[in-house]
Amino acid sequence: MTALSVGAFRLGASGTAQSGGDATICLVADPSDLAVSPAPATWAIRELTRTIEEHGMSVRQFNTLDQCPPSSFCLMVGSHNTPPVSKILKDANISVSNAPECLALVPSTHKGSPMLLACGSDARGVMYAVLELADRIKYSDDPIQALKTQAPVAEQPFNQVRSVARLFVSDVEDKPWFNDREMWPAYFSMLASQRFNRFQLALGIGYDSLESVADAYFLFAYPFLLSVPGYEVKATNLPEAERDQNLEMLQFISQQAVAHGIDFQLGIWTHGYEWGPDSSNANYVIEGLTPANHAAYCRDALTALLKACPDISGVTLRTHAESGVREGSYSFWKTVFEGVPRSGRKVEIDLHTKGLDQPIIDEALATHMPVKLSPKYWAEHMGLPYHQAAIRDLEMPRKDLKHDDFSALSTGSRIFTRYGYADFLKRDRPYSVMYRVWPGTHRFLLWGDPISTAAHAHAFRFCGGAGAELFEPLSFKGRRGSGLPGGRCAYADKSLNPHRDWEKYLYTYRVWGRLLYNAHADPDVWQRYLRKQFGGSAPALEAALSSATRILPLVTTAHLPSAVNDTFGPEFYTNQPIVDANEPQPYGDTPAPKVFGNVSPLDPQMFSRISDFADELLKGERSGKYSPVEVAQWLEDLAQEADNRLTEAGAKSNGTNGQPVINTNPEFRRAVVDLKIHIGLGSFFAAELRSGTLYAIHERSTDRAALEEALKQYRRAREIWSQFAEETKAIYVFDMTFGPLPRMRGNWLDRLLAMDVDIALMAKRIESLQEGQPQPARVRSAIQEALGRPPRGSVACSHTPSPRFLPGKDLEIVLSVKQPTKPISVRLHYRHVNQAERYEVAEIPEIPEIHGEYRTVIPASYTASKYSIQYYFELREIPEKAWLYPGFAIDLTNQPYFIVPTTM
């Protein structure tokens, strides 16, 4: 047989060098196959060959199946529509879609011996199939048996876009990884293996204004990468050689992404060039630009950059005030967008949607390039796995809204675009939509929960969504000049440092990437990794991480002091006072008076804030919304379950030498430490929510007992925080920096002072109250509920939403209530899938002749719209008993409302 080349790997009859094992695998790949010959597929085949050989086996490589010797195990790689592959698929009754990135793994036989087919609909599909086999071998104790015993698998992408963004925000902390030529192939290999298909390198995102600039590296990115003919623009203090090296690295990084089957997106988040007040210490300033040549330079620089880096397939831009450009500068953005088609190829324009309006969208569309809009998923945080039923009242449009002229859209008429999908989900839209997950909730601690992640994967398809982009863990580390040497993971115990920072989060990437690709993936995909890492502790550790991961998204959904990720981060929460709004706190975008009890949920349609719930308790009326006490109970349950399973994992972690793995395995130790923090945070927020509720009851009733119980819960919360903070002293450095201000940096211990001040004020208030005052029954009941496990009554309901509605026609809504024992009143809350709108509310009458059936219509005048319609039911039995339908399932992973799409 004649040896021949396929891309960058060599196929030959002689096979590869023997590795000392007696098992041989015959690998068949036809170099003329258009799904096999591209670089991503050939790289994957090399990875598989290397993995096989590392496990003591040898590989012989052939062009066709007929060339494989009898009695050998054959592994065939190819396109799903080539004749030999099609025959195997047909014989196995397996169908592979012609859509991009589909794959199949099919066991079969050849000449009486077992064989395995790995095929795909294109090069990326082939790559995924081959990498799946490499992954199975890597994490199996018996690689050959793992390949032989697998049942047929056929998969196709559940989400079209599965993206990760890596942010350059620190001269100190980010230059090392940016310039690390050994890191990038390993990083992209990991992303491709977990089926991420898009990567954004985000530049200029470290600042959300150009004031107080200290670290300006890549802030206005173009002059840090190239010199543009016809302009004398440069970054002062930047040597030309370093600028040229930056461009070479960008070329290398984008090439590596494409070679690993990943689309490369360049994020240019800042287009302003003049640093504002208090920026005298900036390490670089931009010279050579004026208002007269600013737009033209950006256009020509973008064109030059795209030509110099032909592997860039898209650019991500923000056009609101944080870009450094005044909002409403339509001429400027029209000129910048012109730089994209001048590159001479198709390049996607990805527009961050904060402050975005139709004129900007129209200018992007006028380039005839593909346009994608990327709204924030849950503000700058992670919520429960659905799209919030409503945005906060602070972001709703209103006539009396005061705004900054520089940000007239994002703080004025388009304020509702700041933290969600806004009004961008019209039918027949000429752009695609991708949801971006910001890092406010999960930024630092290890996390990963397959159940909620699969639910998020469904949510990313909401109203035709194309998928999601995840700001990776450690995003914004060292931003705004706060970077420190010593490692991005910030371990004081250096034995815990992974080789590269992202390796701490391998489980996170695995769970997210694989479930974004297939929301119904086989659990073995992540469980085999855990088994290899943690042995007998794996099942318990998986369960502990699953429960722990759900804690903070529940907090941010139900109680959000700030939508801004550098102001509120539940992992490093800066205490907001319960008692005195005049005490120092960082929370500007929260209702006044700015105390804990007035904080809005991030979804105020489904959850009630503390102050409103206290009013309900004392009035004896319920809205059906989920209360802060219910949330506290859920948090306690999640924390307890995580703690129980962590204890179980520790009991099963002994190694063969009798020594606990926790003392020797850095991966296990890292997981344990972060799990303990998650558990502590869940218990802390639960106690503080109960304390806040009790304090609100006291404020309204002046009841001393309510205040005493509030103080007990507050002190309990403080003790919980203190305990896990003490345990972290030897693990993490004292100053973990995500920005220069106190709320952005520090450690858990330095958060205690604010708690102590507020606790002292609460205790002092008790001293001013008389003892022995009579306590009304309603107050006593309210205290009991705030301290107990709140019941949520319900009746069995059923409702089948219409598959679609016709605009301009009535939409009938029917709800069946099963065997109600008492009279039920039903309200329908409905709204277009447009976050700028408020809900309409209609009482639904019971049909007289059909007991328990309620029927109404959403009128034709309302359905005459380009938006889908979402709705839910509020049911009330008596004033003190109300609930929502569909509401949340026990695991909190469902969408708590119905959607009826409009006909297209």
Coordinates of all heavy atoms in Angstrom, one line a residue, residues 475-505:
S475 N -13.2 35.9 34.3 CA -13.3 37.1 33.5 C -13.2 38.3 34.3 O -13.8 38.4 35.4 CB -14.7 37.1 32.8 OG -14.7 36.1 31.7
F476 N -12.5 39.4 33.8 CA -12.3 40.6 34.5 C -11.3 40.6 35.6 O -11.1 41.5 36.3 CB -13.6 41.3 35.0 CG -14.6 41.7 33.9 CD1 -15.8 41.1 33.8 CD2 -14.2 42.6 32.9 CE1 -16.7 41.4 32.8 CE2 -15.1 43.0 31.9 CZ -16.3 42.4 31.8
K477 N -10.6 39.5 35.7 CA -9.6 39.4 36.8 C -8.5 40.4 36.5 O -7.9 40.4 35.4 CB -9.0 38.0 36.8 CG -7.9 37.7 37.8 CD -8.5 37.6 39.2 CE -7.5 37.2 40.2 NZ -6.4 38.2 40.4
G478 N -8.2 41.3 37.5 CA -7.2 42.3 37.3 C -7.5 43.5 36.5 O -6.7 44.3 36.1
R479 N -8.8 43.7 36.3 CA -9.2 44.8 35.4 C -8.9 46.2 36.0 O -8.7 46.3 37.2 CB -10.7 44.7 35.1 CG -11.6 45.2 36.2 CD -13.1 44.9 35.9 NE -13.6 45.6 34.7 CZ -14.9 45.7 34.4 NH1 -15.8 45.2 35.2 NH2 -15.3 46.3 33.3
R480 N -8.9 47.2 35.2 CA -8.7 48.6 35.6 C -7.4 48.8 36.4 O -7.4 49.6 37.4 CB -9.9 49.1 36.3 CG -11.2 49.0 35.5 CD -12.4 49.5 36.3 NE -13.6 49.3 35.6 CZ -14.8 49.5 36.1 NH1 -15.0 49.9 37.3 NH2 -15.9 49.2 35.4
G481 N -6.4 48.2 36.0 CA -5.1 48.4 36.7 C -4.9 47.7 38.0 O -4.0 48.0 38.7
S482 N -5.8 46.7 38.3 CA -5.7 46.0 39.6 C -4.9 44.7 39.5 O -4.9 44.0 40.5 CB -7.1 45.8 40.1 OG -7.8 44.8 39.3
G483 N -4.4 44.4 38.3 CA -3.7 43.1 38.2 C -2.5 43.0 39.1 O -1.8 43.9 39.3
L484 N -2.4 41.7 39.5 CA -1.2 41.4 40.4 C -0.6 40.2 39.9 O -1.2 39.3 39.4 CB -1.8 41.1 41.9 CG -2.4 42.3 42.6 CD1 -3.0 41.8 43.9 CD2 -1.5 43.5 42.8
P485 N 0.8 40.1 40.1 CA 1.5 38.8 39.7 C 1.1 37.7 40.6 O 0.6 38.0 41.7 CB 2.9 39.3 39.7 CG 3.0 40.4 40.7 CD 1.7 41.1 40.6
G486 N 1.4 36.5 40.2 CA 1.2 35.4 41.1 C 0.2 34.4 40.7 O 0.0 33.4 41.4
G487 N -0.5 34.6 39.6 CA -1.4 33.6 39.1 C -2.8 34.1 39.2 O -3.3 34.6 40.2
R488 N -3.6 33.9 38.1 CA -5.0 34.4 38.0 C -5.9 33.7 39.0 O -6.9 34.2 39.4 CB -5.5 34.2 36.6 CG -4.7 35.1 35.6 CD -5.3 34.9 34.2 NE -6.6 35.7 34.0 CZ -7.6 35.3 33.4 NH1 -7.7 34.0 32.9 NH2 -8.7 36.0 33.2
C489 N -5.6 32.4 39.4 CA -6.4 31.7 40.3 C -6.3 32.1 41.7 O -7.1 31.7 42.5 CB -6.1 30.2 40.2 SG -6.6 29.4 38.6
A490 N -5.3 32.9 42.0 CA -5.2 33.6 43.3 C -5.1 32.7 44.5 O -5.6 32.9 45.6 CB -6.4 34.6 43.5
Y491 N -4.4 31.6 44.3 CA -4.1 30.7 45.4 C -2.9 31.1 46.2 O -1.9 31.4 45.7 CB -3.9 29.2 44.9 CG -5.1 28.5 44.4 CD1 -5.3 28.2 43.1 CD2 -6.1 28.2 45.3 CE1 -6.5 27.5 42.7 CE2 -7.3 27.6 44.9 CZ -7.5 27.2 43.6 OH -8.6 26.6 43.2
A492 N -3.2 31.2 47.5 CA -2.0 31.4 48.4 C -1.3 30.1 48.6 O -0.1 30.1 48.7 CB -2.5 31.9 49.8
D493 N -2.0 29.0 48.6 CA -1.4 27.6 48.6 C -1.1 27.3 47.2 O -1.9 26.9 46.4 CB -2.4 26.6 49.2 CG -1.9 25.2 49.3 OD1 -0.8 25.0 48.7 OD2 -2.5 24.4 50.0
K494 N 0.2 27.4 46.8 CA 0.6 27.3 45.5 C 0.5 25.8 45.0 O 0.5 25.6 43.8 CB 2.1 27.7 45.3 CG 2.3 29.2 45.6 CD 1.4 30.1 44.8 CE 1.6 31.6 45.2 NZ 0.6 32.5 44.5
S495 N 0.4 24.9 45.9 CA 0.2 23.5 45.5 C -1.2 23.3 44.8 O -1.4 22.3 44.1 CB 0.3 22.5 46.6 OG -0.8 22.7 47.5
L496 N -2.1 24.3 44.9 CA -3.4 24.2 44.3 C -3.4 24.8 42.9 O -4.4 24.6 42.2 CB -4.4 24.8 45.2 CG -4.7 24.2 46.5 CD1 -5.6 25.0 47.4 CD2 -5.3 22.8 46.3
N497 N -2.4 25.5 42.5 CA -2.4 26.1 41.2 C -2.4 25.1 40.1 O -1.6 24.2 40.1 CB -1.2 27.0 41.0 CG -1.5 28.4 41.5 OD1 -2.6 28.9 41.3 ND2 -0.4 29.1 42.0
P498 N -3.4 25.1 39.1 CA -3.3 24.3 38.0 C -2.2 24.8 37.1 O -1.6 25.9 37.2 CB -4.6 24.5 37.3 CG -5.1 25.8 37.7 CD -4.5 26.0 39.1
H499 N -1.8 24.0 36.1 CA -0.7 24.4 35.2 C -1.1 25.7 34.4 O -0.3 26.6 34.3 CB -0.4 23.3 34.2 CG 0.6 23.6 33.2 ND1 1.8 24.1 33.5 CD2 0.6 23.5 31.8 CE1 2.6 24.3 32.4 NE2 1.9 23.9 31.4
R500 N -2.4 25.7 34.0 CA -2.9 26.9 33.4 C -4.2 27.2 34.0 O -4.9 26.3 34.5 CB -3.1 26.7 31.9 CG -1.8 26.4 31.1 CD -2.0 26.3 29.6 NE -0.8 26.1 28.9 CZ -0.2 25.0 28.5 NH1 -0.9 23.8 28.8 NH2 0.9 24.9 27.9
D501 N -4.6 28.5 34.1 CA -5.7 28.9 34.9 C -7.0 28.2 34.5 O -7.8 27.8 35.4 CB -5.9 30.5 34.9 CG -6.1 31.0 33.5 OD1 -7.2 30.9 32.9 OD2 -5.1 31.6 32.9
W502 N -7.2 28.0 33.2 CA -8.5 27.5 32.8 C -8.6 26.0 33.1 O -9.7 25.4 33.1 CB -8.7 27.7 31.3 CG -7.5 27.3 30.4 CD1 -6.5 28.2 30.0 CD2 -7.2 26.1 29.9 NE1 -5.6 27.5 29.3 CE2 -6.0 26.2 29.1 CE3 -7.8 24.8 29.9 CZ2 -5.4 25.2 28.4 CZ3 -7.2 23.7 29.2 CH2 -6.0 23.9 28.5
E503 N -7.5 25.3 33.5 CA -7.6 23.9 33.8 C -8.3 23.7 35.1 O -8.8 22.6 35.4 CB -6.2 23.3 33.9 CG -5.5 23.3 32.5 CD -4.1 22.8 32.5 OE1 -3.5 22.8 33.6 OE2 -3.6 22.5 31.4
K504 N -8.4 24.7 36.0 CA -9.2 24.5 37.2 C -10.7 24.2 36.8 O -11.4 23.6 37.6 CB -9.2 25.8 38.1 CG -10.1 25.8 39.2 CD -10.1 27.1 40.0 CE -11.2 27.1 41.1 NZ -11.1 28.3 42.0
Y505 N -11.1 24.8 35.7 CA -12.6 24.7 35.3 C -12.9 23.7 34.2 O -13.8 23.9 33.5 CB -13.0 26.1 34.9 CG -12.7 27.2 35.9 CD1 -11.5 28.0 35.9 CD2 -13.5 27.4 37.0 CE1 -11.3 28.9 36.8 CE2 -13.2 28.3 38.0 CZ -12.1 29.1 37.9 OH -11.8 30.0 38.9

